[in-house]
């Protein structure tokens, strides 16, 4: 049976002034990157400059678009690519808590007797609603990548859909995607990434990188933190279906620590 294997790299946007001050942005506050955030985006772009990308998907919010544009300008494989600005990748809505301190949200959750990460402030999105957006985006991405690359890159499977290691993880920018010509760059937001990773692990049965705990995998990614996955799809009639997913690394921030 034929299959298509591709890389998926998730990137959280660079820092904004709201991030720096510990304030919630959500969807209504469309803040630009701070000076530090621009530097982080530049560092991420330099780190990824030799990594091949075939597709780029980006939240339509300013902080994500600025981060993606900065990464893309450093990468020659992105020169002819048209980024897809997708509202499905927007940050979680925090409703009436947007613009307030993250600490205020923690206190609201405590007062309601709920876990901070699962708490939904008034007029905000629930975790389930965010997950539905993630699921819709993943489905859309699979169909687009399948339609664009299946004819040229779909190959007969000679091994399990997602092998334990396609290439060793050596701490380099191309870990997991060396020799993988189809690779999607997705630039989005911290709370959405956290929901996406939980969905991948809990519902899509994505493996966790060796040495990583679920607590770490489900934690908030740092600004311009990188997470990478290897995904395999098969074609059933005219639809592309996920057949396997493996996590290569999570929350990598080597580029901002140098």
């Amino acid at each position: 049976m034929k299959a298509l294997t591709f890389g998926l790299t998730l990137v959280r946007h660079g820092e904004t002034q709201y991030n720096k001050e510990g304030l919630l942005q959500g969807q209504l506050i469309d803040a630009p990157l701070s000076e530090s955030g621009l530097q982080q985006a530049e560092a991420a772009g330099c780190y990824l400059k030799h990594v091949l990308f075939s597709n780029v998907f980006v939240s339509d919010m300013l902080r994500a678009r600025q981060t993606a544009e900065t990464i893309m300008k450093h990468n020659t494989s992105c020169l002819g690519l048209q980024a897809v600005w997708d509202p499905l990748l927007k940050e979680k809505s925090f409703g009436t808590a947007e613009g307030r301190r993250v600490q205020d949200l923690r206190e609201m959750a405590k007062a309601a007797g709920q876990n901070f990460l699962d708490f939904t402030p008034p007029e905000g999105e629930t975790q389930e609603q965010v997950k539905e957006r993630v699921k819709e985006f993943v489905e859309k991405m699979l169909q687009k990548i399948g339609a664009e690359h299946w004819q040229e890159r779909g190959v007969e499977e000679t091994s399990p859909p997602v092998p334990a290691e396609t290439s060793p993880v050596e701490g380099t920018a191309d870990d997991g995607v060396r020799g993988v010509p189809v690779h999607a760059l997705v630039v989005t937001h911290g709370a959405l990434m956290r929901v996406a990773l939980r969905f991948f692990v809990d519902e899509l049965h994505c493996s966790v990188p060796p040495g990583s705990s679920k607590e770490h995998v489900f934690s908030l990614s740092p600004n311009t933190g990188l997470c990478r996955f290897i995904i395999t799809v098969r074609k059933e009639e005219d639809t592309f279906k996920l057949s396997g997913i493996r996590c290569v690394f999570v929350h990598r921030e080597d580029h901002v620590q140098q």
Side-chain angles (χ1 to χ4, degrees):
M1 181 179 289
K2 285 182 72 173
L4 171 67
T5 296
F6 67 93
L8 167 64
T9 296
L10 301 182
V11 184
R12 186 186 176 197
H13 64 80
E15 181 199 78
T16 67
Q17 192 62 30
Y18 280 78
N19 291 143
K20 187 175 182 179
E21 296 176 7
L23 302 174
L24 290 163
Q25 294 165 100
Q27 295 182 1
L28 293 180
I29 296 171
D30 201 12
L33 298 182
S34 64
E35 187 58 41
S36 177
L38 290 168
Q39 292 172 4
Q40 291 168 346
E42 288 283 345
C46 291
Y47 183 74
L48 295 169
K49 67 180 179 181
H50 297 306
V51 176
L52 176 70
F53 293 108
S54 59
N55 298 79
V56 180
F57 303 91
V58 187
S59 159
D60 62 353
M61 303 198 74
L62 179 59
R63 54 195 184 271
R65 287 190 286 116
Q66 285 183 303
T67 302
E69 288 164 354
T70 303
I71 292 172
M72 291 176 73
K73 79 177 183 183
H74 286 282
N75 192 301
T76 54
S77 71
C78 293
L79 291 177
L81 296 183
Q82 181 67 49
V84 176
W85 314 116
D86 197 330
L88 290 172
L89 293 169
K90 279 182 188 292
E91 178 59 296
K92 174 181 177 176
S93 169
F94 293 101
T96 58
E98 292 186 4
R100 296 175 64 177
R101 299 179 308 154
V102 173
Q103 185 59 34
D104 290 340
L105 185 63
R106 290 183 184 276
E107 291 168 4
M108 290 168 70
K110 186 176 180 180
Q114 295 183 34
N115 180 285
F116 166 62
L117 296 179
D118 297 327
F119 176 68
T120 302
E123 300 175 29
E125 276 185 296
T126 64
Q127 297 291 89
E128 190 64 28
Q129 287 172 322
V130 179
K131 186 179 78 173
E132 286 305 310
R133 280 203 283 125
V134 169
K135 289 170 68 174
E136 187 177 345
F137 168 74
V138 169
E139 180 62 24
K140 195 160 114 178
M141 177 185 69
L142 294 183
Q143 300 316 310
K144 180 173 176 59
I145 287 179
E148 290 181 5
H149 302 288
W150 181 263
Q151 199 68 32
E152 184 181 358
R153 302 296 183 182
V155 297
E156 290 295 331
E157 283 187 310
T158 57
S159 58
V162 180
E165 291 290 349
T166 53
S167 59
V169 177
E170 301 171 341
T172 59
D174 63 351
D175 275 340
V177 293
R178 247 161 282 153
V180 179
V182 183
H183 184 191
L185 171 67
V186 175
V187 184
T188 182
H189 305 265
L192 185 134
M193 282 177 65
R194 181 188 272 156
V195 172
L197 265 68
R198 185 173 287 277
F199 169 63
F200 290 175
V201 172
D202 290 349
E203 299 189 32
L204 300 185
H205 310 295
C206 176
S207 63
V208 172
S212 292
S213 65
K214 283 191 176 182
E215 182 181 16
H216 174 62
V217 171
F218 298 155
S219 64
L220 183 67
S221 200
N223 288 114
T224 66
L226 312 173
C227 301
R228 181 166 295 153
F229 304 85
I230 302 298
I231 293 174
T232 298
V233 295
R234 294 194 183 110
K235 191 174 185 181
E236 297 180 9
E237 297 181 348
D238 293 326
T239 302
F240 297 96
K241 300 283 189 182
L242 181 94
S243 65
I245 179 169
R246 173 175 71 85
C247 185
V248 181
F249 58 74
V250 291
H251 312 318
R252 184 175 285 183
E253 53 180 336
D254 301 11
H255 51 286
V256 292
Q257 292 180 335
Q258 294 172 352

